[in-house]
Amino acid sequence: MAVKRMDNVGIVVEDLPATIALFTELGLELEGQMRVEGSWADHVVGIEGMQVDIAMMKTPDGHSRLELSKFIRPAAIQSEPKNAPANTLGYLRVMFAVDDIKDTLTRLETHGVKLVGKLEQYEDSYLLCYVRTPEGFIIALAEELK
């Protein structure tokens, strides 16, 4: 087997403090922050002279992490379209299981998060929704119904 485990998922953001606050509100914990630069980083990422501030966020269960990156040099580039629909090729969203989806939505709205569609129930199993952050990426939320 080649893969031992997934280490993290990376998201490039413009406003690192606001995105940290959003994921903290969702229940993730800030594990650490640092600036990454130097020839080793240039060679790994393939961008000469890069400088990036990163924040590592850990999920409450301790098994998953998000790496939030704010590029200082070179500046981040905007993908098109900015608010890509769910059928756009590539990485689309990250999904979190939550205990109370309506409460979570209310708390995330204070961070500028908006519903993409509607909160819907799937059979007798889940309440589900997609939300879009001010940065433009999608977070999916799922509440298992008991």
Side-chain angles (χ1 to χ4, degrees):
M1 178 187 316
V3 175
K4 284 176 43 175
R5 64 181 169 81
M6 185 177 76
D7 187 73
N8 69 69
V9 172
I11 302 173
V12 176
V13 302
E14 280 292 325
D15 189 337
L16 189 57
T19 308
I20 291 170
L22 186 150
F23 281 109
T24 300
E25 185 71 51
L26 194 53
L28 278 71
E29 176 186 336
L30 179 61
E31 192 173 51
Q33 288 183 257
M34 68 182 292
R35 177 157 290 173
V36 176
E37 60 186 324
S39 63
W40 71 271
D42 295 354
H43 295 148
V44 170
V45 178
I47 300 175
E48 192 68 31
M50 69 160 246
Q51 185 179 60
V52 61
D53 289 338
I54 66 165
M56 195 64 75
M57 306 289 299
K58 182 172 57 174
T59 57
D61 65 5
H63 294 294
S64 302
R65 299 186 304 172
L66 287 178
E67 180 181 299
L68 306 175
S69 301
K70 162 69 173 151
F71 273 82
I72 309 303
R73 186 179 62 232
I77 58 171
Q78 183 64 52
S79 62
E80 295 298 328
K82 180 178 180 355
N83 292 321
N87 64 339
T88 302
L89 291 173
Y91 291 107
L92 171 66
R93 57 126 179 106
V94 58
M95 179 177 259
F96 294 101
V98 299
D99 290 328
D100 184 339
I101 200 165
K102 291 178 183 176
D103 176 65
T104 302
L105 285 170
T106 299
R107 290 186 293 108
L108 291 180
E109 285 172 356
T110 66
H111 295 272
V113 170
K114 306 274 189 223
L115 272 171
V116 171
K118 295 179 182 178
L119 175 62
E120 288 288 337
Q121 184 169 327
Y122 172 71
E123 297 181 348
D124 292 330
S125 303
Y126 290 95
L127 288 175
L128 301 162
C129 68
Y130 277 14
V131 296
R132 190 174 301 278
T133 70
E135 294 277 351
F137 59 87
I138 294 174
I139 298 172
L141 302 173
E143 177 186 337
E144 188 171 6
L145 300 174
K146 293 161 175 80

